[in-house]
Every structure is written in structure tokens, then in C-alpha cells.
Amino acid sequence: MDATMDTTDAMKRWELENEVEWHQDGEDELYRYDAAEQAAILEKKPWTTDPQYYKVREIHRNRARKRTRPS
């Protein structure tokens, strides 16, 4: 048996077991980085005057667990 075939099958099985969802083209636009846009935002600093600037806050569940776990 070919090692590449084993790897591909293992990856497919892992994706099914872990309910991995692949996104359609264009959804990666959310993660597009524009240096000029970022520089303008950093210069303007809208979060200093608008307390609702960060409307959506996302945190990974593992990070939340570490923050709430007693030391």
C-alpha cells in the first residue's frame, strides 16, 4: 500500500471524526491583511474613545479554560 494513500485516508477519517468544516472560496477574505488599513486604524485608535469598538469578542475555548482555571 502507498504511504500517501494511508495519509490521505487518515486525514479524511480525522476530519470526519472531528467534524472539520471547510469554507467556500471568498470566506478567507475575513483573514486578509492590509498593512495600510491596519496602520490607519492603529494611528486613529478608535478604541480609546468608543467603548463599543470591539463589538464581537472571540476567544478559543482552551484559552478561556486556562483563564478561569484556579492557579
Side-chain angles (χ1 to χ4, degrees):
M1 216 181 222
D2 188 3
T4 307
M5 190 63 148
D6 290 340
T7 304
T8 304
D9 291 342
M11 184 67 171
K12 286 180 183 177
R13 189 178 76 231
W14 182 86
E15 289 172 357
L16 287 171
E17 290 172 355
N18 292 288
E19 299 176 4
V20 174
E21 296 179 14
W22 292 102
H23 298 283
Q24 300 296 323
D25 292 340
E27 289 189 20
D28 287 337
E29 189 66 24
L30 175 66
Y31 302 106
R32 180 185 53 81
Y33 182 79
D34 183 1
E37 180 182 15
Q38 290 299 313
I41 291 171
L42 290 174
E43 188 175 314
K44 188 175 177 184
K45 297 181 185 178
W47 55 88
T48 59
T49 56
D50 182 10
Q52 295 299 317
Y53 178 76
Y54 295 107
K55 295 176 185 170
V56 178
R57 293 159 193 93
E58 294 183 10
I59 185 168
H60 193 275
R61 66 177 168 248
N62 288 339
R63 178 61 60 193
R65 190 176 305 131
K66 287 181 181 181
R67 287 185 177 185
T68 58
R69 184 175 62 189
S71 304

